Amino acid sequence: MLQQISVFVENKSGRLCAIVEVLNKARINIRAMNIADTADYGIVRLIVNDTGNALKALSAGNFTAKVFDVIAFTIPDKFGALYEVIKLLGDNGINIEYSYSLIGKNQSEAGIAVYIKDAQKAAEAGKILKKAGVNLITPEDLI
């Protein structure tokens, strides 16, 4: 099993950046990230390369964090592979509360999705990233 760190934060501008900054300064490598939000707060779920030091760094940065065990697995890149695993679990009465992607051993980069509620700001973010040379993923890239 892997350990996931859940960080509880206010849902306001700059808080995600502050979490990542704290981990960056501690030289923690984020292998997976998921964000769940409500109007007032969010939960940032992370799988990192060093859970113990990440917790220390987050605590020193005044973040509230808790560790949970998660099961991670790989599946072949073929049609139906995920279905087979999910069905197997479901057929055995196992309910999955949430799921997210993580970088695999054989990949050199990860795909990250961010949601920006304000459409104008989202368009601006796309332009800024493109201008900076960041490779934007398009729907065609996912086919």
Side-chain angles (χ1 to χ4, degrees):
M1 281 197 206
L2 292 178
Q3 291 188 314
Q4 165 196 282
I5 300 172
S6 293
V7 185
F8 305 93
V9 295
E10 293 176 275
N11 190 359
K12 68 179 192 178
S13 179
R15 297 308 291 156
L16 177 60
C17 185
I19 291 169
V20 175
E21 180 180 22
V22 162
L23 295 175
N24 187 59
K25 286 181 179 177
R27 305 207 39 86
I28 302 296
N29 188 10
I30 299 171
R31 306 298 290 169
M33 180 173 69
N34 175 277
I35 303 170
D37 73 324
T38 65
D40 298 324
Y41 70 94
I43 301 172
V44 178
R45 296 180 177 116
L46 303 161
I47 294 176
V48 299
N49 66 320
D50 186 342
T51 303
N53 282 329
L55 283 172
K56 289 176 188 173
L58 290 165
S59 178
N62 294 316
F63 288 100
T64 301
K66 188 172 179 181
V67 175
F68 295 90
D69 289 332
V70 295
I71 296 172
F73 54 88
T74 61
I75 56 173
D77 185 10
K78 69 172 191 168
F79 179 79
L82 179 59
Y83 168 74
E84 291 171 11
V85 174
I86 301 303
K87 184 173 184 336
L88 176 64
L89 295 174
D91 286 350
N92 284 281
I94 299 169
N95 181 44
I96 297 171
E97 293 290 328
Y98 57 85
S99 179
Y100 51 92
S101 299
L102 65 149
I103 190 167
K105 287 182 180 180
N106 298 324
Q107 297 184 17
S108 61
E109 58 184 19
I112 304 295
V114 297
Y115 171 74
I116 301 170
K117 188 173 183 178
D118 182 307
Q120 188 175 19
K121 290 284 186 185
E124 182 180 339
K127 290 176 186 174
I128 291 168
L129 293 173
K130 192 171 184 176
K131 184 177 180 182
V134 175
N135 183 32
L136 300 178
I137 298 171
T138 67
E140 293 78 18
D141 294 329
L142 303 176
I143 295 174

